[in-house]
Coordinates of all heavy atoms in Angstrom, one line a residue:
D754 N -10.7 229.2 110.6 CA -10.8 228.8 109.3 C -11.5 227.5 109.2 O -11.3 226.6 110.1 CB -9.4 228.6 108.7 CG -9.5 228.4 107.1 OD1 -10.5 228.9 106.5 OD2 -8.6 227.9 106.6
R859 N 3.0 232.6 119.3 CA 2.9 232.0 117.9 C 1.6 231.3 117.8 O 0.8 231.4 116.8 CB 3.9 230.9 117.7 CG 3.9 230.3 116.3 CD 4.3 231.3 115.2 NE 4.3 230.7 113.9 CZ 3.2 230.7 113.1 NH1 2.1 231.1 113.5 NH2 3.3 230.2 111.9
E862 N -1.4 234.3 118.3 CA -1.4 235.1 117.1 C -2.2 234.4 115.9 O -2.9 235.0 115.1 CB -0.1 235.6 116.7 CG 0.5 236.6 117.7 CD 2.0 236.9 117.4 OE1 2.5 236.2 116.4 OE2 2.6 237.6 118.2
A863 N -1.9 233.1 115.7 CA -2.5 232.3 114.7 C -3.9 232.0 115.0 O -4.8 231.8 114.0 CB -1.7 231.0 114.5
A864 N -4.3 232.0 116.3 CA -5.7 231.5 116.7 C -6.1 232.4 117.8 O -6.2 231.9 119.0 CB -5.7 230.1 117.0
G958 N -3.1 218.5 110.9 CA -3.8 219.1 112.1 C -3.9 220.5 111.8 O -4.4 221.0 110.8
Y959 N -3.7 221.3 112.8 CA -4.0 222.8 112.8 C -3.1 223.5 111.9 O -1.8 223.4 111.9 CB -3.8 223.2 114.3 CG -3.9 224.7 114.4 CD1 -5.1 225.4 114.0 CD2 -2.8 225.5 114.9 CE1 -5.2 226.8 114.1 CE2 -2.9 226.9 115.1 CZ -4.1 227.5 114.7 OH -4.2 228.8 114.8
V960 N -3.7 224.4 111.1 CA -3.0 225.2 110.0 C -3.2 226.6 110.4 O -4.3 227.0 110.7 CB -3.6 224.8 108.6 CG1 -2.9 225.8 107.6 CG2 -3.2 223.4 108.3
D961 N -2.2 227.5 110.3 CA -2.3 228.9 110.4 C -3.1 229.4 109.2 O -2.6 229.4 108.1 CB -0.8 229.5 110.4 CG -0.9 231.0 110.7 OD1 -1.9 231.6 110.5 OD2 0.2 231.5 111.2
P962 N -4.2 230.0 109.5 CA -5.0 230.4 108.3 C -4.4 231.6 107.6 O -4.8 231.8 106.4 CB -6.3 230.8 109.0 CG -6.0 231.2 110.4 CD -4.9 230.2 110.8
A963 N -3.5 232.3 108.2 CA -2.9 233.5 107.5 C -1.8 233.1 106.6 O -1.6 233.8 105.5 CB -2.3 234.4 108.5
T964 N -1.1 232.0 106.9 CA 0.0 231.6 106.0 C -0.1 230.2 105.3 O 0.7 229.9 104.4 CB 1.3 231.6 106.9 OG1 1.2 230.5 107.9 CG2 1.5 232.9 107.6
G965 N -1.0 229.4 105.8 CA -1.1 228.0 105.3 C -0.1 227.1 105.9 O -0.1 225.9 105.5
Q966 N 0.8 227.6 106.9 CA 1.7 226.7 107.5 C 1.0 225.7 108.5 O 0.2 226.2 109.3 CB 2.7 227.5 108.2 CG 3.8 226.6 108.9 CD 4.7 227.4 109.7 OE1 4.7 228.7 109.8 NE2 5.7 226.8 110.4
M967 N 1.3 224.4 108.3 CA 0.8 223.5 109.3 C 1.6 223.6 110.6 O 2.8 223.6 110.6 CB 0.8 222.0 108.7 CG 0.1 221.0 109.7 SD -0.1 219.5 108.9 CE -1.2 219.8 107.6
L968 N 0.9 223.7 111.7 CA 1.6 223.8 113.0 C 1.6 222.6 113.8 O 2.4 222.4 114.7 CB 0.9 225.1 113.8 CG 0.8 226.4 113.0 CD1 0.1 227.4 114.0 CD2 2.2 226.9 112.6

Side-chain angles (χ1 to χ4, degrees):
D754 193 21
R859 183 70 177 86
E862 291 167 0
Y959 175 55
V960 174
D961 186 336
T964 66
Q966 179 184 0
M967 186 172 293
L968 305 180

